[in-house]
Amino acid sequence: MQSEVLSPAVKGTLNVLQACSANNVQKVVVVSSTAAVHYNPSWPHGRIKDESCWSDKNFCMKNENWYTAAKTIAEETALEYGEKNGLNVVTVCPCIVLGPLLQPLINTTSELLIYIIKGGPRLMKNLPWNIVDVRDVADALLLVYEKVGSSGRYICAPDRISTNDIVKLLKKSYPNYNYVNCENKDYESEVSPVTSEKLKSLGWKPRKMEETLLDSVEYFEKAGFLQDVEGCPCRLPHLFHFASD
C-alpha cells in the first residue's frame, strides 16, 4: 500500500506544481482532505481542530494508514513547494463528500452511505461523521481560487452527525430500507470537532446536511445503486474499516 498510495500521491502533486511553475501559473488550488487534519494524537483532547492541526504522518505510517499519510505528506509538500518557488498554493481539505454524482460509478464515500442505508452485515460504531456536499466543495474551490487574499489551508467540513442520527434522519423520508445496526455507545466526546470558520470568513455558505443526505439517496435510487445484486453483498469500504465492530 505504501508504494501504491504514498509515492504516487506525493510525486503526482509535485509533477502538477512543477508544470504550473513552468507555465507561469500564478495560483494553484490543491484538494487535500480532513484526513490530513484528524489523526494527531498529541492534539489536546476536546479542542476544536483548525487549519493549524496536522495529522501526524509518522504516527499514520507506523499504523500503516497510508491513505492519511499520503494526504498529509502531499499537502505539506504542496505548501512547501509554493513557498520555495513563489507559487501561490492554497489547499482545501474536504471531509466526507456526499451528494449527487457526476460519474456513473459509485465512489468510496458514497459506498459508506449506501452501507448505512442498505444495512450491511457488520455492526457499526455510532461515530460522528463530518459531511460536506460535493456542490459546496465545488463552490469552496472556486471561492478560494477567485479570492485574492486566500492563503494556506482551508478546512471544508461544515456539519457533523452520528451514524444513528443519519439513520433516524433518512428513515423519515425513506422508511423501507433495512439500515445498518449501530452500537449504543456514543463517541461524540471522543472525537474532536473541526471548524470551517476560516473558509466561511471568505463568504462560503454550505447547504444544510439534510439536503445533502436526501439528495444523495434520491440520486442513488435513480442510478440503481440501492438495488440488491445477487452475489454482490453490501460491504463497508476498507477506508472506513475502523467504523465497524
Side-chain angles (χ1 to χ4, degrees):
M1 287 295 290
Q2 181 176 6
S3 60
E4 294 175 7
V5 177
L6 185 56
S7 296
V10 177
K11 290 181 180 178
T13 299
L14 274 178
N15 287 342
V16 171
L17 294 175
Q18 288 166 355
C20 290
S21 292
N23 287 278
N24 298 315
V25 172
Q26 300 300 308
K27 188 175 189 178
V28 180
V29 179
V30 176
V31 180
S32 182
S33 168
T34 51
V37 176
H38 278 302
Y39 296 86
N40 186 335
S42 63
W43 188 260
H45 179 73
R47 178 181 168 187
I48 296 175
K49 292 174 179 174
D50 57 19
E51 286 76 10
S52 67
C53 182
W54 284 86
S55 290
D56 186 328
K57 55 181 179 286
N58 294 322
F59 172 78
C60 293
M61 289 189 286
K62 181 180 179 181
N63 289 278
E64 298 186 354
N65 186 347
W66 301 117
Y67 174 82
T68 298
K71 286 294 186 182
T72 304
I73 296 173
E75 187 184 356
E76 286 181 338
T77 300
L79 291 171
E80 289 171 2
Y81 178 93
E83 290 180 2
K84 292 178 181 179
N85 294 277
L87 180 63
N88 185 3
V89 176
V90 181
T91 63
V92 175
C93 302
C95 52
I96 293 175
V97 182
L98 296 174
L101 304 175
L102 291 176
Q103 73 274 13
L105 299 177
I106 201 74
N107 59 4
T108 301
T109 51
S110 293
E111 282 184 333
L112 170 65
L113 184 56
I114 289 173
Y115 187 86
I116 293 173
I117 295 167
K118 294 182 68 175
R122 301 180 67 177
L123 183 74
M124 284 192 71
K125 297 176 181 176
N126 188 33
L127 294 170
W129 301 97
N130 290 106
I131 291 174
V132 65
D133 194 291
V134 64
R135 296 162 290 190
D136 293 326
V137 175
D139 289 343
L141 295 174
L142 185 61
L143 181 65
V144 299
Y145 177 75
E146 292 181 339
K147 285 284 186 178
V148 176
S150 65
S151 63
R153 311 174 84 195
Y154 289 88
I155 292 174
C156 188
D159 290 303
R160 179 157 129 149
I161 186 172
S162 69
T163 312
N164 270 331
D165 285 342
I166 291 175
V167 172
K168 291 176 183 177
L169 188 155
L170 292 181
K171 274 186 174 180
K172 294 177 182 177
S173 297
Y174 298 96
N176 297 323
Y177 290 106
N178 291 327
Y179 292 100
V180 76
N181 290 318
C182 288
E183 60 181 34
N184 292 323
K185 182 179 177 180
D186 185 357
Y187 292 85
E188 187 72 24
S189 62
E190 297 183 19
V191 182
S192 296
V194 295
T195 177
S196 295
E197 286 308 309
K198 184 183 177 186
L199 184 56
K200 289 179 179 178
S201 70
L202 291 182
W204 186 58
K205 297 179 181 179
R207 68 202 69 215
K208 293 182 178 179
M209 186 192 303
E210 182 175 359
E211 179 182 348
T212 299
L213 291 171
L214 294 179
D215 283 358
S216 297
V217 179
E218 181 181 354
Y219 177 84
F220 294 162
E221 287 190 335
K222 290 180 179 178
F225 293 146
L226 296 177
Q227 295 178 2
D228 291 326
V229 178
E230 187 174 352
C232 297
C234 186
R235 299 184 186 279
L236 186 66
H238 178 73
L239 185 63
F240 300 109
H241 66 89
F242 61 86
S244 64
D245 57 340

